[in-house]
Amino acid sequence: MAKGNQKRAGGRPRAQSLLEHYRPIEGVVDEMVDASGHPRPAWRSFIGAMDDLGAEALGQRFARADQYLRDAGVYYRVYDKAGANEREWPLAHVPLLIDEKEWAEISAGLVQRADLFETMLADIYGPNRLIEKGILPAGLIAASPEYLRPVVGVRPASGHFLHMVAFELGRGPDGRWWVLGDRTQAPSGAGFALENRVATTRALSDIYGELHVHRLAGFFRRFRDALNGMAKDSGGRVAILTPGPLNETYYEHAYIARYLGIMLLEGEDLTVSGGRLMVRTVSGLMPIGVLWRRLDAAFADPLELKPDSQIGTPGLVEAIRRGTVSAVNGLGSGLAETRALLSFLPRIARELHGEELKLPNIATWWCGQQAERDHVLANIDRMVVGPALSTRLAFEDDGATRLGSALSAGGRAELIARIEADGVGFVGQEAVTLSTTPVFAGGRLEPRPASLRVYLARTHEGWTVMPGGFARVGFSLDPTAMAMQRGGQAADVWVVSDRPVERETLLPQETDGFTRTMPGSLPSRAAENLTWLGRYIERSEDTVRVLRAYHVRLAETSDPEMPLLADIRDYLEPFGIEVETAIPLGLIGTLDSAVYSAGQIRDRFSPDGWLALKDLSKTIHKFAETVAPGDDATRAMTVMLRKLAGFSGLLHENMYRFTGWRFLEIGRRLERGIQIARTLARLTKADAPDGALDMMLEIGDSVMTHRRQYPVQSGRRTVIDLLALDPLNPRSILFQLERLKAEIGMLPSVGGEGHMSPAAKEILQLNTALAVMEPQDMTAKVLDDLAIQIGDLYNSLARAYFG
């Protein structure tokens, strides 16, 4: 790897170095270069390799990383005046490099801090000696919304309050790392750290391969094993509890669940029965032994905590109280994030562990004490002042935190008056200038302020530290622009060694035992969304086929009042399909509903499947703006059919034949049976317009099959025979009923072994009745009634499995 050589491989002149125009900010520590402008040891080889590639090649590589993130559907939900919007994951392409020796020091300080918080929480929710001795003010703890009285005195089933924590670090002008904030509630970002690593190494695979960078997979494997061990002890399953798809980090929840093979649940999926936390599955209630919650504790149980919560599970606190489920992290652990507690931690460390903090937090003064309040008021110009009970970092607060030196005279006087009147509500913190790390912008490297988030997980061996994490990097030199909601970026973090590192993976060792998850653990909500996904996709395909047949004839005749076209318009109108528009809103809405259903089960959806579905949605919305009726619409519908077929084929060929696949397949077959029956009833009725039978065969994709099967005679009866009664035609109604009978028969029993479910009985009766019918018996009314009966099958399934 090049280190300052003057020529590239092959004798070509070396491109201009990326460091030649890099200008560190005066008085600020830069992570990449030292005070003299020379690369730090961990960066030397990296910079040499970047220079060898050159700015143009780097730009192309970074564009590929961005494309990977788009293809994988990585997003972050941003809330602004326009509402909630999905923002593409903002990768800062240049990783932050840290030497493993320095990382070892950081890790030791954070392990000490995690242990301290564990002991502190156990005391606050237990004997309360810190308050008894006056080390912690009782009023401060009692006033915090994160102090949960219903769990006071409750010892966690696992024996620990904390299992996964994160700490936000910043390097100050003195070169030392300081803790800016603590994440003990439900720390986010670990999944994004994985995606950062994948995207960055795709762009810089050769550089990554040459450097000795510690891998991340071992961290997740050890934590997964710890969770599974806890669940085994409790006789239940491991699940991740998410607030749902509207949460800003929902993508990460789904990604981690898929990566670790853990169920992703929402509050409505759970119930408490007999003091145990249970998940509603298609096989009935099943116990949950470990709940890795990704929502704030106050929302977890509307019965005992926040009564207006719509995303919690009534009775969860009681299950925790009984010790039948372990919460990761324990309810009430968010208290440790309180900003004012930072001012007491040094003394708490001495009291509980008899030692000083190895990694100090940012200097903090709680204004509820006279001496501390006087200090803040006397030094307000070099302070950051904010809410004492806030759990956000200073640069994350939306206007609630003020930089004293930036205040006007009036603003300064107002803040001082508020502190004097209500000191307990404020903390002052030292205004720290953060170090900078390079970003690639406009073909060159530029410094940006950065903070580092580091993750720790409790395993069988104790705390393990993720060898990396992610760095939040400012979009500009303004440190408040680091917050993800304000346009900040995220960079991968490489912990670099001077010798080869272990190549860890998530896979078990060959000598490890394994278990195969048995069918039936599919949550009811997931089964319902899979069923509707199948229905929406099939409904979209049927609508597209009808519209294509319509526009083909419109292009041929240019007469929209042609009887057959008028009949199709009348047929489609009740379903919200307005053919006057080339791409009806009803069709767009159906595909959007498919995307919504799939979005509810992202953890069970492959990235390829999601990409294909999003491409379908993008295509139909684009066509809505550009396509005209007639030939143009015909071509557009053909494109949509190909993409729909590709998506369906992707699911059919790649999806594991598990309970979830069965519900998806049932949804497809239900909808296809309904649509074929309805369309047949319309186009084969006695007074159907001329050309109706040909259109029906075209819609049913059976023109060539009909010609082969009925070369001499053709007419209404042959069309009905092929599209209603032929068990070998994948477009026929009977074929759908045969498939439904098989798939419903394979679903978990709901009436006890040996008993047929109501849905199984109904499909058997329907299938038998249709199998013995003759084409002449299939009147329009019979077909319409059949469509209704097939639709009623869904209601029976819903009552049995989705309730």
Side-chain angles (χ1 to χ4, degrees):
M1 186 172 293
K3 296 184 181 179
N5 53 310
Q6 294 303 306
K7 290 191 176 183
R8 288 170 176 259
R12 292 181 290 118
R14 182 180 180 83
Q16 188 178 57
S17 173
L18 291 168
L19 288 182
E20 288 186 28
H21 295 288
Y22 187 75
R23 297 291 180 266
I25 302 171
E26 187 175 352
V28 175
V29 172
D30 191 272
E31 296 296 332
M32 182 175 65
V33 298
D34 59 24
S36 62
H38 295 103
R40 298 183 186 277
W43 288 83
R44 288 170 189 160
S45 296
F46 180 84
I47 291 298
M50 294 262 284
D51 282 343
D52 276 348
L53 288 171
E56 183 177 354
L58 283 172
Q60 293 170 351
R61 286 177 174 228
F62 294 151
R64 289 201 297 271
D66 291 336
Q67 186 61 51
Y68 159 75
L69 292 169
R70 285 191 292 271
D71 290 347
V74 185
Y75 73 91
Y76 184 86
R77 194 173 297 281
V78 176
Y79 303 97
D80 51 29
K81 293 180 180 178
N85 300 293
E86 291 183 8
R87 174 192 177 197
E88 291 182 359
W89 184 245
L91 178 68
H93 305 97
V94 180
L96 171 61
L97 275 59
I98 299 178
D99 183 87
E100 70 172 355
K101 295 184 181 64
E102 184 175 21
W103 191 259
E105 295 176 2
I106 292 173
S107 298
L110 295 183
V111 167
Q112 179 205 43
R113 194 176 187 88
D115 282 334
L116 177 61
F117 280 141
E118 176 67 41
T119 309
M120 182 183 73
L121 288 168
D123 177 76
I124 290 174
Y125 287 103
N128 250 327
R129 294 191 180 93
L130 290 173
I131 290 177
E132 181 183 332
K133 294 181 178 181
I135 296 171
L136 272 178
L140 177 65
I141 300 301
S144 173
E146 300 301 334
Y147 177 65
L148 304 183
R149 288 172 176 80
V151 295
V152 171
V154 177
R155 184 67 180 167
S158 67
H160 300 287
F161 284 88
L162 301 176
H163 305 84
M164 167 74 80
V165 295
F167 300 101
E168 201 84 21
L169 308 182
R171 195 198 295 270
D174 60 355
R176 298 179 64 191
W177 288 100
W178 295 79
V179 178
L180 305 177
D182 308 290
R183 291 289 176 259
T184 57
Q185 172 82 264
S188 64
F192 289 124
L194 276 171
E195 286 287 32
N196 287 345
R197 175 61 56 90
V198 173
T200 303
T201 53
R202 286 200 176 194
L204 304 173
S205 57
D206 45 355
I207 302 177
Y208 181 79
E210 289 289 335
L211 297 178
H212 304 308
V213 182
H214 286 268
R215 269 58 174 178
L216 304 181
F219 171 85
F220 289 96
R221 187 187 71 247
R222 287 186 281 275
F223 186 50
R224 178 199 61 189
D225 293 347
L227 294 177
N228 287 334
M230 290 164 59
K232 185 177 180 180
D233 293 340
S234 67
R237 290 167 167 76
V238 182
I240 295 176
L241 178 62
T242 174
L246 293 181
N247 183 260
E248 60 190 17
T249 57
Y250 175 74
Y251 171 84
E252 184 207 1
H253 305 168
Y255 179 84
I256 286 288
R258 189 167 58 237
Y259 183 70
L260 298 182
I262 299 174
M263 280 195 295
L264 182 66
L265 304 176
E266 296 181 30
E268 64 182 278
D269 295 323
L270 297 164
T271 187
V272 175
S273 177
R276 290 217 66 171
L277 184 66
M278 313 290 279
V279 56
R280 297 182 177 93
T281 78
V282 295
S283 295
L285 298 178
M286 294 189 174
I288 296 295
V290 177
L291 193 65
W292 182 2
R293 61 178 182 85
R294 300 303 302 272
L295 80 170
D296 288 352
F299 293 89
D301 185 349
L303 197 62
E304 297 201 48
L305 299 173
K306 194 175 177 63
D308 59 347
S309 171
Q310 300 294 313
I311 55 177
T313 303
L316 176 59
V317 170
E318 178 60 22
I320 292 173
R321 192 178 286 129
R322 293 193 184 193
T324 59
V325 63
S326 293
V328 176
N329 288 328
L331 298 185
S333 57
L335 178 66
E337 297 183 0
T338 305
R339 200 183 295 181
L341 282 181
L342 292 173
S343 63
F344 299 96
L345 279 181
R347 187 178 175 189
I348 292 174
R350 291 190 292 271
E351 173 66 27
L352 295 180
H353 291 171
E355 56 189 16
E356 299 294 330
L357 292 174
K358 296 178 182 178
L359 199 61
N361 47 250
I362 185 172
T364 303
W365 296 266
W366 178 50
C367 296
Q369 297 169 309
Q370 185 66 48
E372 285 75 7
R373 180 165 62 251
D374 291 344
H375 178 80
V376 169
L377 293 175
N379 297 276
I380 198 165
D381 287 338
R382 58 185 184 89
M383 290 278 182
V384 173
V385 180
L389 300 180
S390 174
T391 58
R392 292 174 175 265
L393 299 180
F395 59 75
E396 292 177 329
D397 272 347
D398 294 328
T401 298
R402 308 291 183 85
L403 178 61
S405 60
L407 292 172
S408 64
R412 186 176 184 275
E414 179 190 358
L415 180 59
I416 290 174
R418 291 177 63 193
I419 294 173
E420 289 176 337
D422 182 28
V424 296
F426 292 91
V427 293
Q429 293 183 300
E430 183 180 1
V432 175
T433 302
L434 297 176
S435 63
T436 57
T437 193
V439 299
F440 189 78
R444 38 194 302 188
L445 295 180
E446 297 181 0
R448 293 288 186 272
S451 67
L452 174 64
R453 181 171 292 188
V454 186
Y455 299 88
L456 282 74
R458 188 182 295 281
T459 69
H460 299 302
E461 293 78 32
W463 290 109
T464 183
V465 181
M466 182 192 292
F470 79 80
R472 293 204 279 185
V473 183
F475 184 74
S476 67
L477 291 176
D478 179 3
T480 64
M482 290 197 303
M484 303 302 290
Q485 289 288 340
R486 302 183 192 176
Q489 305 171 85
D492 191 13
V493 177
W494 292 6
V495 177
V496 182
S497 175
D498 56 6
R499 57 188 181 277
V501 299
E502 183 179 357
R503 294 180 177 273
E504 294 189 278
T505 72
L506 202 65
L507 297 175
Q509 301 298 318
E510 287 296 324
T511 56
D512 293 346
F514 69 91
T515 57
R516 178 180 291 159
T517 302
M518 297 302 292
S521 60
L522 179 70
S524 298
R525 182 180 54 84
E528 185 175 14
N529 277 294
L530 283 164
T531 304
W532 275 106
L533 174 61
R535 292 194 67 172
Y536 286 133
I537 289 298
E538 195 61 40
R539 187 178 298 177
S540 298
E541 181 179 338
D542 177 79
T543 303
V544 167
R545 288 185 179 280
V546 174
L547 289 172
R548 185 174 69 166
Y550 175 89
H551 285 287
V552 164
R553 286 154 181 79
L554 179 64
E556 290 172 349
T557 66
S558 298
D559 180 13
E561 299 308 316
M562 173 185 175
L564 179 58
L565 298 184
D567 195 59
I568 288 297
R569 283 200 303 276
D570 292 342
Y571 168 64
L572 292 174
E573 186 177 0
F575 304 113
I577 307 298
E578 303 280 350
V579 295
E580 287 80 4
T581 304
I583 308 297
L585 290 176
L587 174 59
I588 296 173
T590 301
L591 271 173
D592 285 346
S593 294
V595 174
Y596 176 82
S597 292
Q600 303 295 307
I601 46 173
R602 282 293 297 272
D603 59 310
R604 298 176 180 273
F605 221 69
S606 74
D608 287 338
W610 180 254
L611 177 62
L613 187 57
K614 292 291 282 186
D615 181 55
L616 270 169
S617 178
K618 180 180 178 182
T619 300
I620 197 71
H621 282 275
K622 181 179 179 181
F623 282 164
E625 299 174 356
T626 59
V627 171
D631 272 337
D632 206 16
T634 300
R635 287 191 293 271
M637 295 304 162
T638 300
V639 171
M640 289 303 301
L641 275 179
R642 286 201 303 265
K643 294 197 173 193
L644 281 162
F647 174 73
S648 297
L650 187 67
L651 294 184
H652 190 272
E653 292 301 320
N654 294 346
M655 198 168 176
Y656 187 70
R657 296 309 193 259
F658 190 35
T659 312
W661 181 85
R662 299 195 188 286
F663 280 100
L664 180 71
E665 181 71 358
I666 285 169
R668 292 182 60 223
R669 299 304 173 184
L670 281 172
E671 195 66 31
R672 184 175 292 185
I674 292 169
Q675 298 299 336
I676 290 292
R678 283 176 177 167
T679 316
L680 262 178
R682 186 74 178 206
L683 295 179
T684 63
K685 62 185 180 180
D687 59 346
D690 289 342
L693 295 179
D694 289 336
M695 179 180 273
M696 185 67 239
L697 289 170
E698 186 179 325
I699 292 169
D701 199 18
S702 299
V703 173
M704 295 185 66
T705 305
H706 185 266
R707 289 173 184 167
R708 287 195 301 267
Q709 295 288 86
Y710 312 96
V712 178
Q713 294 180 330
S714 64
R716 178 182 181 275
R717 286 187 297 173
T718 59
V719 171
I720 290 177
D721 186 59
L722 181 61
L723 286 172
L725 302 174
D726 191 333
L728 301 181
N729 182 5
R731 292 281 166 183
S732 78
I733 302 172
L734 185 59
F735 186 93
Q736 313 315 312
L737 297 186
E738 293 279 4
R739 294 305 308 149
L740 284 168
K741 183 178 71 171
E743 299 303 339
I744 291 174
M746 295 288 288
L747 292 179
S749 174
V750 292
E753 294 299 327
H755 293 273
M756 294 181 69
S757 68
K761 292 177 182 178
E762 289 177 32
I763 186 59
L764 179 60
Q765 291 169 346
L766 267 180
N767 186 65
T768 303
L770 186 62
V772 299
M773 292 190 77
E774 297 294 334
Q776 58 269 25
D777 302 326
M778 305 291 289
T779 64
K781 183 177 186 312
V782 169
L783 286 164
D784 278 331
D785 288 345
L786 183 58
I788 293 171
Q789 289 173 300
I790 296 172
D792 286 342
L793 275 173
Y794 173 81
N795 297 328
S796 294
L797 288 166
R799 284 191 293 270
Y801 297 105
F802 308 154

